[in-house]
Amino acid sequence: MPPWHSCGADHVAVYGTLREGGSNDIRRFQPGIAQVGTTWLQGSLWDMGQWPGLQLDGCGPVLAEVYPLHPALEQQLDQLEDIWPQDLGQYRKRLLTQTVQQGDGLVVTCRMLVYEALPQALARCPRVPAGDWLAWFRAGKPQG
C-alpha cells in the first residue's frame, strides 16, 4: 500500500453526499463533528449518478459546508473519494482559502481542502443546473 500524506489543511469543504443529511454524511466518519459554517465555492456541479463532481471553474456559486479536518478524517475521506490507497482518477485534492459564514453570523477565513472532480471523470456527466447538490438531488434531479 502506498504511503498516505495529509494535505495540511485545517478544514474541509463538502458540497455533496458528505453534507449533513447526505448519504455519506461526514458524521458517519467522525461522529459529533461540528460544522464551522458554510461557504460558496466558485464552480460548477456535475451529476455523477448518486454523487456530484465539482469543477472549480468560477462559473457560479456552489454551496459547501465547512468542517474541521484532522489527518485521520482526511485519510478516510481520501478512501471514500478513491484517491488512496489507489487513485482511480476521479478527484484531486485542492487547497483554497475561503470566507466562511458561521452560524452566529460571524465571517471567518479558513484554509480548506476541496475534492475537485477531474475533467476525464466528468466527460459523460450532465451539468447540474443548481448550486446546491442536496436540494437538487432531493427534488428528484429536476432538469432545466
Side-chain angles (χ1 to χ4, degrees), residues 79-135:
Q79 286 180 296
L80 176 71
E81 303 296 358
D82 291 322
I83 291 175
W84 182 86
Q86 181 180 358
D87 188 346
L88 298 183
Q90 288 192 329
Y91 293 93
R92 67 178 170 166
K93 295 163 78 166
R94 293 279 306 267
L95 294 178
L96 300 177
T97 299
Q98 293 273 133
T99 58
V100 177
Q101 178 80 39
Q102 295 181 313
D104 58 9
L106 293 177
V107 176
V108 296
T109 301
C110 298
R111 184 171 177 240
M112 63 191 70
L113 167 62
V114 176
Y115 290 91
E116 181 180 29
L118 294 170
Q120 64 268 21
L122 301 174
R124 293 194 173 110
C125 299
R127 187 166 174 182
V128 174
D132 182 335
W133 165 262
L134 280 183

Side-chain angles (χ1 to χ4, degrees), residues 41-65:
L41 303 170
Q42 291 302 307
S44 54
L45 287 173
W46 298 82
D47 181 3
M48 297 177 77
Q50 295 299 307
W51 62 88
L54 169 71
Q55 278 283 285
L56 293 168
D57 55 17
C59 286
V62 174
L63 179 62
E65 297 169 358

Side-chain angles (χ1 to χ4, degrees), residues 12-64:
V12 62
V14 297
Y15 54 85
T17 64
L18 286 162
R19 286 180 46 204
E20 184 176 351
S23 60
N24 287 313
D25 188 320
I26 198 165
R27 288 167 184 80
R28 175 177 144 201
F29 300 94
Q30 185 180 335
I33 191 172
Q35 186 183 125
V36 174
T38 58
T39 192
W40 291 94
L41 303 170
Q42 291 302 307
S44 54
L45 287 173
W46 298 82
D47 181 3
M48 297 177 77
Q50 295 299 307
W51 62 88
L54 169 71
Q55 278 283 285
L56 293 168
D57 55 17
C59 286
V62 174
L63 179 62

